[in-house]
Amino acid sequence: AFDLNVSSYGTILWKIVQAGAFATGLLILATQMDLFVEFGGNLIQPGESAEADIRILTAFVEGLNDVVFEAIAILSWRLYRASVTR
């Protein structure tokens, strides 16, 4: 499933960045769809209401936490696996 025969740590990091960018895009798309459904099919903007502002901020913080902590976990695991298989 994984090609561990890579030439350098730079290649590993680049593959992690590519996968992370794709996963982050999917997370943003899913969050937008969730907000759209939650507010009854209306597109919301910051400043429309206090409820919308709190929900947008909550979604932003949850997404940021997901991206940062998953990046740390995946990066640590891939670099560990690369060091073991060399």
Side-chain angles (χ1 to χ4, degrees):
F2 295 106
D3 180 18
L4 296 176
N5 298 320
V6 294
S7 58
S8 68
Y9 285 112
T11 304
I12 292 169
L13 291 175
W14 178 243
K15 287 184 178 191
I16 291 171
V17 168
Q18 286 178 322
F22 179 74
T24 301
L26 288 179
L27 178 63
I28 291 170
L29 179 65
T31 301
Q32 290 294 319
M33 290 174 25
D34 178 53
L35 289 171
F36 184 75
V37 169
E38 184 175 334
F39 285 95
N42 297 321
L43 298 176
I44 58 170
Q45 297 292 324
E48 287 184 9
S49 69
E51 178 188 359
D53 288 347
I54 290 172
R55 183 60 183 99
I56 291 170
L57 184 59
T58 302
F60 174 75
V61 170
E62 288 174 353
L64 184 64
N65 285 340
D66 285 346
V67 169
V68 169
F69 292 117
E70 287 298 322
I72 291 170
I74 296 298
L75 180 64
S76 301
W77 176 249
R78 286 289 287 153
L79 290 177
Y80 167 73
R81 289 290 298 153
S83 69
V84 170
T85 58
R86 286 188 176 259

